[in-house]
């Protein structure tokens, strides 16, 4: 008989005193904060408290931002040596580290993710992206991307709400290192760390107009995508919007990179170390509430170990702490928005109606805010919508397989191809499987590991191009193949 001993955790709240949130924000254009016209609220999804009023950029604001970016590109940034550009990037990276706690608290308040994750993952990785690309700025000629690589010009960058500052860093750092200037739009539900980043640009004395930040919703994003003065679009978000953008830029000369949805297979072979695998499954799907495009949302278990893995997984899930994102012991925080919660609830209901079996541990969810308990569906087949569509929440679909060939066939049977996981003790099996899988990133005996040196991106409907590493730099330089 198994015996478990449970210790209660005392509350360990992080203080929010370190951040000062203004009641209202404008845009950051030409090195200055300028007042916006219309505003909309950004809220804390864990409490529904209104944190601030955010400006909704219209045509005139986007025009002004593009103009400022063009001016900075022509007069300053494209003329500056790589060595000088690198100094600014190092400065930004160091200031981000110095202000890391402020960024982490702000990210957690605006996004709902646990403070442990914003503190230990999002913010350090964002700074790491600036450090890494600072190092490239004066070495572009040695990147194997041509002898005298040239920037594209002005980049329009549109990012999602799941890793707000980290996605900003993925976009801004390589663009600047390669000599481009940017107009960036954060997601409407998580603009606050981008606005704090604007302050960091001022503090680093980055030349005016090199980074411009306009806030708004999809309408602002569309103005950026369709702007004549922009040379490149970099987008991370849904496949649906990615398709709209691909259509919009097709008849233009704009370069484009798209990082879209996923439905990653996390494949467990029968020789996998089960306890470590269970940790990897939990990290794969419940990290960041499952709001992760590369989440391991389809668990493929070899039939002869399925029962054991599921038993241990459920035991492990009983220990996941869901609740106040500001508590340092919290594992799973709030769903980012009411709309996203509605989508998760809807797709989970489809799972029920299609005959899959739902299981969640008992959770005491807060009464205010947006919450969804960590959930698994067993008995899922490939025909089920929960096996095919991205849920973008803490919901795992479990399928089984008998042979390695069947695992690969099922794993690849998806319109997506962003990431995959393989759990096996055998190196030869891991290498064989990784060669068969049609996914941009493949983790072996681990999951959701990110590093600025490693290119990230998808096959098929998961996107175009790569971000990070040498490949990511290529996407901000003229005439260099992106793959
Ligand atoms: P999600 O469904 O995860 O919220 P979206 O793709 O809708 O993802 O949003 C990602 C980013 O794209 C956000 O910054 C959003 O404002 C922006 N966006 C939404 N619609 C459009 C559009 N038609 N054109 C450009 N950007 C858009």
């Amino acid at each position: 008989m198994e015996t478990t001993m449970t210790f209660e955790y005392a509350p360990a709240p992080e203080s929010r005193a370190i951040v000062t949130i203004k009641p209202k924000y404008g845009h950051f254009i030409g090195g200055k904060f300028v007042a916006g016209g219309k505003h909309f609220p950004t809220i804390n999804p864990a409490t529904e408290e209104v944190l601030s009023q955010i400006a909704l950029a219209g045509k005139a604001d986007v025009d002004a931002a593009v103009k400022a970016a063009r001016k900075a590109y022509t007069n300053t940034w494209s003329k500056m040596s790589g060595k000088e550009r690198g100094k600014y990037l190092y400065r930004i990276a160091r200031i981000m580290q110095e202000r890391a706690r402020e960024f982490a608290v702000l990210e957690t308040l605006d996004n709902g993710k646990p403070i442990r994750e914003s503190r230990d993952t999002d913010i350090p990785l964002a700074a790491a992206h600036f450090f890494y690309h600072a190092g490239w700025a004066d070495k572009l000629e040695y990147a194997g991307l041509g002898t005298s690589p040239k920037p594209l010009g002005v980049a329009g960058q549109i990012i999602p709400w799941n890793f707000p500052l980290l996605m900003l860093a993925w976009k801004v750092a390589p663009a600047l290192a390669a000599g481009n200037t940017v107009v960036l739009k954060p997601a409407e539900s998580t603009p606050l760390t981008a606005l704090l980043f604007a302050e960091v640009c001022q503090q680093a004395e980055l030349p005016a107009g090199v980074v411009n930040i306009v806030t708004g919703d999809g309408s602002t994003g569309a103005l950026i995508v369709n702007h004549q003065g922009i040379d490149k679009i970099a987008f991370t978000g849904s496949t649906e919007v990615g398709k709209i953008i691909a259509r919009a830029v097709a008849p233009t000369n704009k370069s484009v990179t798209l990082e879209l949805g996923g439905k990653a297979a996390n494949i467990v072979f029968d020789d996998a170390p089960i306890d470590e695998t269970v940790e990897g499954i939990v990290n794969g799907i419940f990290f960041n509430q499952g709001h992760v495009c590369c989440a391991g949302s389809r668990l493929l278990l070899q039939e002869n170990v399925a029962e054991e893995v599921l038993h241990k997984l459920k035991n492990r899930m009983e220990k996941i702490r869901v609740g106040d994102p500001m508590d340092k012991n919290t594992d799973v925080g709030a769903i980012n928005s009411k709309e996203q919660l509605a989508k998760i609830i809807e797709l989970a209901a489809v799972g029920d109606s299609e005959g899959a079996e739902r299981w969640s541990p008992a959770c005491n969810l807060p009464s205010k805010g947006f919450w969804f308990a960590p959930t698994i569906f067993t008995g899922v087949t490939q025909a089920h919508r929960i096996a095919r569509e991205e849920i973008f929440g803490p919901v795992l679909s479990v399928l089984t397989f008998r042979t390695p060939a069947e695992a690969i066939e099922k794993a690849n049977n998806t319109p997506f191809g962003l990431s995959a996981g393989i759990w096996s003790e055998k190196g030869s099996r891991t290498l064989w499987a990784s060669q068969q899988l049609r996914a941009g990133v493949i983790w072996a005996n681990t999951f959701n590991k990110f590093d600025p040196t490693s290119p990230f991106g998808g096959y098929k409907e998961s996107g175009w191009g790569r971000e990070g590493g040498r490949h990511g730099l290529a996407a901000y330089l003229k005439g260099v193949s992106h793959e």
Side-chain angles (χ1 to χ4, degrees):
M1 205 183 100
E2 275 176 87
T3 54
T4 50
M5 214 163 143
T6 315
F7 293 95
E8 287 305 320
Y9 281 75
E14 172 65 272
S15 161
R16 64 186 277 179
I18 194 163
V19 298
T20 315
I21 304 177
K22 295 184 189 128
K24 198 186 226 191
Y25 286 89
H27 308 292
F28 181 65
I29 297 175
K32 294 194 188 77
F33 283 95
V34 297
K38 272 196 212 157
H39 285 77
F40 61 93
T42 185
I43 64 168
N44 177 346
T47 59
E48 298 175 56
E49 170 203 0
V50 172
L51 295 171
S52 184
Q53 296 294 329
I54 302 302
L56 178 77
K59 189 169 180 312
D61 305 301
V62 173
D63 280 346
V66 174
K67 207 169 152 201
R70 177 64 57 194
K71 191 170 158 206
Y73 177 73
T74 311
N75 297 349
T76 316
W77 204 243
S78 66
K79 290 192 176 151
M80 197 182 277
S81 68
K83 190 171 148 209
E84 290 304 311
R85 289 200 310 273
K87 284 187 196 168
Y88 285 106
L89 292 175
Y90 278 122
R91 212 182 273 174
I92 289 172
R94 280 196 296 267
I95 298 170
M96 285 173 87
Q97 283 186 322
E98 280 163 19
R99 301 182 73 172
R101 191 150 157 247
E102 204 178 335
F103 271 113
V105 169
L106 196 57
E107 197 75 301
T108 285
L109 289 173
D110 206 16
N111 171 281
K113 65 174 69 204
I115 187 72
R116 188 164 54 78
E117 288 179 7
S118 47
R119 182 195 64 198
D120 298 347
T121 305
D122 294 65
I123 312 307
L125 265 177
H129 270 266
F130 278 94
F131 276 114
Y132 173 75
H133 287 97
W136 270 123
D138 64 346
K139 301 175 196 71
L140 294 175
E141 304 92 280
Y142 311 106
L145 303 168
T147 49
S148 178
K150 296 277 180 296
L152 296 168
V154 175
Q157 307 183 316
I158 299 163
I159 57 172
W161 46 260
N162 56 343
F163 295 94
L165 186 72
L166 183 58
M167 290 300 105
L168 174 150
W170 280 30
K171 298 276 180 287
V172 173
L176 265 47
N180 304 271
T181 58
V182 309
V183 174
L184 175 126
K185 188 194 87 66
E188 48 271 48
S189 62
T190 54
L192 293 179
T193 48
L195 293 163
L196 181 58
F197 178 79
E199 275 180 39
V200 168
C201 293
Q202 287 181 324
Q203 205 181 334
E205 295 175 11
L206 186 71
V210 172
V211 168
N212 303 276
I213 294 174
V214 291
T215 50
D217 59 13
S219 67
T220 308
L223 287 168
I224 294 174
V225 168
N226 295 307
H227 203 286
Q228 306 260 326
I230 285 182
D231 303 296
K232 186 218 161 76
I233 297 294
F235 171 78
T236 297
S238 61
T239 295
E240 189 191 345
V241 174
K243 287 181 181 175
I244 297 174
I245 293 176
R247 275 195 288 272
V249 299
T252 72
N253 284 330
K254 289 185 179 105
S255 299
V256 63
T257 39
L258 303 172
E259 205 268 90
L260 310 175
K263 191 75 189 177
N266 203 0
I267 307 172
V268 181
F269 290 107
D270 60 5
D271 62 342
I274 302 295
D275 292 334
E276 287 84 346
T277 302
V278 166
E279 288 306 310
I281 295 167
V282 166
N283 172 43
I285 186 62
F286 302 125
F287 172 61
N288 202 32
Q289 295 71 246
H291 299 328
V292 184
C293 47
C294 54
S297 55
R298 272 188 306 151
L299 181 63
L300 299 187
L301 298 176
Q302 194 151 10
E303 220 172 72
N304 52 338
V305 290
E307 205 177 313
E308 182 188 356
V309 173
L310 283 172
H311 176 71
K312 288 192 164 169
L313 177 62
K314 287 179 180 177
N315 274 346
R316 176 66 182 82
M317 284 172 67
E318 302 270 8
K319 313 259 177 331
I320 292 177
R321 289 180 299 273
V322 185
D324 181 6
M326 288 290 274
D327 192 307
K328 292 171 200 162
N329 291 321
T330 291
D331 298 313
V332 171
I335 300 302
N336 180 250
S337 66
K338 200 175 181 175
E339 294 73 29
Q340 188 57 30
L341 178 60
K343 282 187 201 166
I344 298 169
I345 291 173
E346 187 196 327
L347 264 173
V350 169
D352 294 331
S353 68
E354 289 181 330
E357 193 179 327
R358 186 200 290 231
W359 183 87
S360 292
C363 280
N364 229 341
L365 300 178
S367 53
K368 276 215 153 173
F370 315 125
W371 304 92
F372 199 89
T375 297
I376 57 176
F377 276 99
T378 51
V380 177
T381 72
Q382 302 214 74
H384 286 160
R385 274 179 66 195
I386 54 168
R388 290 184 283 118
E389 291 177 32
E390 188 175 40
I391 301 176
F392 222 66
V395 182
L396 179 66
S397 300
V398 185
L399 295 89
T400 57
F401 67 91
R402 288 185 183 168
T403 64
E406 187 189 342
I408 300 297
E409 163 117 18
K410 284 188 169 164
N412 285 338
N413 185 3
T414 164
F416 298 111
L418 194 53
S419 63
I422 303 165
W423 296 84
S424 167
E425 214 167 47
K426 243 184 154 157
S428 57
R429 177 174 276 177
T430 304
L431 291 171
W432 171 83
S434 62
Q435 282 173 340
Q436 313 296 314
L437 290 168
R438 299 275 298 153
V441 182
I442 295 167
W443 287 291
N445 295 331
T446 188
F447 212 93
N448 276 338
K449 288 278 178 285
F450 306 98
D451 191 289
T453 64
S454 175
F456 184 93
Y459 284 62
K460 301 190 274 185
E461 291 196 12
S462 288
W464 292 348
R466 295 291 179 267
E467 294 186 290
R470 237 170 35 83
H471 300 68
L473 275 178
Y476 285 97
L477 294 167
K478 265 186 194 144
V480 185
S481 155
H482 293 173
E483 293 295 321

